[in-house]
Amino acid sequence: MEQTSTLILAGGRGERLYPLTKHRAKPAVPFGGIYRVIDFTLSNCLNSGLQKVHLLTQYASLTLDRHIRQAWSTSGLAGSLYIELVPPQAQLVDRWYAGTADAIFQNLFLLQEERPERVLILSGDHIYKMDYRLFLDAHERNGADVTVGVLPVPIEQASRFGVLTLDSSHRIVSFAEKPAVPRSMPEDSSRAWVSMGIYCFRTSELVKALIADSKNPSSTRDFGHDILPALIKQGNRVYAYPFRDENKKAELYWRDIGSLDQFYSSNMDLVAVDPLFNLYDKEWPIRTNPRFDLPPAKTVFDDDQRRGFSVDSLQSPGVIISGATVRKSVLFTGCHIHSWATVEESVLLANVDVGRHAKIRRAIVEEGVHILPNDTIGYDPASDRQRFTITDEGIVVVTATDPERREIAGT
């Protein structure tokens, strides 16, 4: 661990998550009631015994910076993990990062200062549980120049990712970034190996590869498009590490929160009686900002005329369900659901106020939005489409810029 530098890519614009990323970077997007997406990678670092990470920020970083300061720098929950925020330095080139590889290239001075034997590169916008110690051990056992975290996915989904083919020793023999026709596993034509965006490099090989790539005018400055295929072609020892999941479920759980539909479905993964992703495992805790300034959630009124009722839902601190009905939903901090309102299969970000008799179904509601009394959302697609963003899977996205809705109080 002492000879490993950890760099987390956390500057993503998250264009397919717009409007949730209008004012915040993708890793700062709220998730699961009380968390930010970045909390899951950082919790993996803490639970894996890493001592220091560099968080490479870029786009709309204020919300992310503030969250790291409040949740990870001053709360004491981070234990021995030290997090250093690193915005673009414009030392080698005078521009923002052109790709994942360029983000590391522009921060090579960090490696010059620390001179580690290996570099662990992580993404700040995935939801999963992983012990990086096992990953680093496999890297050393194989004598690898590069190790890539991989997992199997259905072949029909593989074109969204970097697709790999492996030999019998898990050495990578080919890598194609988002191929139109992905290669399946030789032993299972229904699945393919894909990259998790997790890499361990021998430092000397990483530095050589990044410098060579920076001189290539046709490069896209990306690990999947450029760096890894080049190293494999050159004969470097590039190995795969099949994902070992600390979530302790029959199905491997790793989610890229890359679109509004993926954001919605990943939040819905949390509300079942036996959720796909377990937030309650004391052996692998997920850390975040403890909101000591908010009161407990409460549900009030219990009579025949109105009854506060919530089932199969997450309720965060400060939530009030006042004579309303909530089913299979995630309510972030400070939401207030007024009497006779109904919220079903929805994700309400912080401080959403739902007026009396309003009805919401299969929706994402942005922070600070006021749903007017008697409003109906998610029941009439034609009407919803005139007022709101509708995703490919029919999820209604309600933002503060929609007609008759107040401005967001904050991000």
Side-chain angles (χ1 to χ4, degrees), residues 53-253:
V53 302
H54 303 286
L55 200 62
L56 308 187
T57 63
Q58 182 169 250
Y59 169 77
S61 62
L62 178 60
T63 300
L64 180 60
D65 293 352
R66 183 180 296 147
H67 175 71
I68 297 301
R69 185 171 63 254
Q70 294 173 344
W72 290 91
S73 298
T74 60
S75 68
L77 293 178
S80 60
L81 181 65
Y82 175 75
I83 301 169
E84 185 171 56
L85 294 165
V86 185
Q89 302 296 301
Q91 291 185 3
L92 295 176
V93 291
D94 188 13
R95 56 171 166 75
W96 277 17
Y97 304 143
T100 55
D102 188 53
I104 306 300
F105 172 73
Q106 290 198 41
N107 288 284
L108 284 179
F109 69 93
L110 294 173
L111 305 183
Q112 293 171 343
E113 290 178 354
E114 298 184 357
R115 299 189 178 278
E117 293 182 6
R118 67 198 67 83
V119 181
L120 178 63
I121 300 173
L122 308 172
S123 173
D125 50 22
H126 298 154
I127 306 295
Y128 66 108
K129 298 179 182 180
M130 181 176 178
D131 190 337
Y132 300 131
R133 288 170 292 198
L134 304 178
F135 179 61
L136 296 172
D137 287 346
H139 176 80
E140 290 303 310
R141 283 197 310 272
N142 289 325
D145 296 320
V146 189
T147 302
V148 182
V150 302
L151 79 162
V153 302
I155 193 70
E156 60 270 15
Q157 299 176 15
S159 59
R160 294 167 37 208
F161 306 100
V163 178
L164 312 91
T165 53
L166 316 179
D167 67 13
S168 59
S169 67
H170 287 161
R171 186 164 178 171
I172 300 173
V173 296
S174 72
F175 189 108
E177 184 69 10
K178 299 180 180 179
V181 183
R183 286 189 181 182
S184 65
M185 300 178 184
E187 68 277 17
D188 184 354
S189 61
S190 68
R191 299 193 298 171
W193 287 112
V194 304
S195 170
M196 301 171 66
I198 298 172
Y199 314 115
C200 182
F201 279 84
R202 194 172 303 280
T203 304
S204 58
E205 296 300 324
L206 175 63
V207 172
K208 285 193 296 184
L210 291 176
I211 292 174
D213 184 74
S214 71
K215 298 175 181 178
N216 180 1
S218 63
S219 173
T220 64
R221 312 290 182 238
D222 184 79
F223 280 109
H225 275 112
D226 308 290
I227 300 295
L228 294 175
L231 290 174
I232 294 167
K233 185 177 180 179
Q234 291 166 195
N236 287 74
R237 296 177 62 83
V238 183
Y239 279 82
Y241 174 80
F243 177 38
R244 290 186 59 177
D245 191 0
E246 298 297 325
N247 193 42
K248 302 182 179 70
K249 297 282 184 175
E251 175 186 343
L252 296 177
Y253 195 95

Side-chain angles (χ1 to χ4, degrees), residues 105-405:
F105 172 73
Q106 290 198 41
N107 288 284
L108 284 179
F109 69 93
L110 294 173
L111 305 183
Q112 293 171 343
E113 290 178 354
E114 298 184 357
R115 299 189 178 278
E117 293 182 6
R118 67 198 67 83
V119 181
L120 178 63
I121 300 173
L122 308 172
S123 173
D125 50 22
H126 298 154
I127 306 295
Y128 66 108
K129 298 179 182 180
M130 181 176 178
D131 190 337
Y132 300 131
R133 288 170 292 198
L134 304 178
F135 179 61
L136 296 172
D137 287 346
H139 176 80
E140 290 303 310
R141 283 197 310 272
N142 289 325
D145 296 320
V146 189
T147 302
V148 182
V150 302
L151 79 162
V153 302
I155 193 70
E156 60 270 15
Q157 299 176 15
S159 59
R160 294 167 37 208
F161 306 100
V163 178
L164 312 91
T165 53
L166 316 179
D167 67 13
S168 59
S169 67
H170 287 161
R171 186 164 178 171
I172 300 173
V173 296
S174 72
F175 189 108
E177 184 69 10
K178 299 180 180 179
V181 183
R183 286 189 181 182
S184 65
M185 300 178 184
E187 68 277 17
D188 184 354
S189 61
S190 68
R191 299 193 298 171
W193 287 112
V194 304
S195 170
M196 301 171 66
I198 298 172
Y199 314 115
C200 182
F201 279 84
R202 194 172 303 280
T203 304
S204 58
E205 296 300 324
L206 175 63
V207 172
K208 285 193 296 184
L210 291 176
I211 292 174
D213 184 74
S214 71
K215 298 175 181 178
N216 180 1
S218 63
S219 173
T220 64
R221 312 290 182 238
D222 184 79
F223 280 109
H225 275 112
D226 308 290
I227 300 295
L228 294 175
L231 290 174
I232 294 167
K233 185 177 180 179
Q234 291 166 195
N236 287 74
R237 296 177 62 83
V238 183
Y239 279 82
Y241 174 80
F243 177 38
R244 290 186 59 177
D245 191 0
E246 298 297 325
N247 193 42
K248 302 182 179 70
K249 297 282 184 175
E251 175 186 343
L252 296 177
Y253 195 95
W254 177 88
R255 298 290 187 270
D256 178 5
I257 309 299
S259 70
L260 291 168
D261 283 321
Q262 290 161 357
F263 171 82
Y264 174 83
S265 63
S266 297
N267 274 279
M268 290 296 102
D269 286 344
L270 307 175
V271 301
V273 175
D274 184 15
L276 290 176
F277 190 72
N278 183 13
L279 295 174
Y280 303 92
D281 184 359
K282 294 181 180 179
E283 295 180 0
W284 200 268
I286 307 299
R287 313 284 183 167
T288 191
N289 182 20
R291 292 297 304 273
F292 300 121
D293 58 327
L294 290 174
K298 71 173 182 177
T299 304
V300 294
F301 293 114
D302 184 18
D303 54 53
D304 293 338
Q305 285 70 43
R306 55 177 173 172
R307 178 168 286 113
F309 179 79
S310 175
V311 65
D312 293 340
S313 298
L314 300 186
Q315 302 171 43
S316 305
V319 165
I320 300 175
I321 300 174
S322 177
T325 298
V326 177
R327 293 188 179 92
K328 294 184 178 179
S329 296
V330 178
L331 306 185
F332 283 69
T333 54
C335 289
H336 192 167
I337 319 300
H338 292 270
S339 293
W340 302 290
T342 301
V343 177
E344 297 181 303
E345 299 178 73
S346 294
V347 180
L348 275 56
L349 301 191
N351 302 317
V352 169
D353 187 88
V354 180
R356 290 187 170 198
H357 298 284
K359 297 171 65 177
I360 304 173
R361 183 176 66 181
R362 285 176 56 79
I364 300 168
V365 185
E366 175 59 294
E367 180 177 342
V369 170
H370 175 60
I371 305 299
L372 300 176
N374 300 297
D375 202 350
T376 300
I377 297 170
Y379 291 81
D380 184 343
S383 174
D384 290 335
R385 194 165 283 108
Q386 293 177 0
R387 299 192 292 164
F388 310 119
T389 297
I390 310 293
T391 72
D392 292 340
E393 297 183 12
I395 306 304
V396 184
V397 184
V398 183
T399 69
T401 57
D402 291 316
E404 300 182 327
R405 282 170 173 79

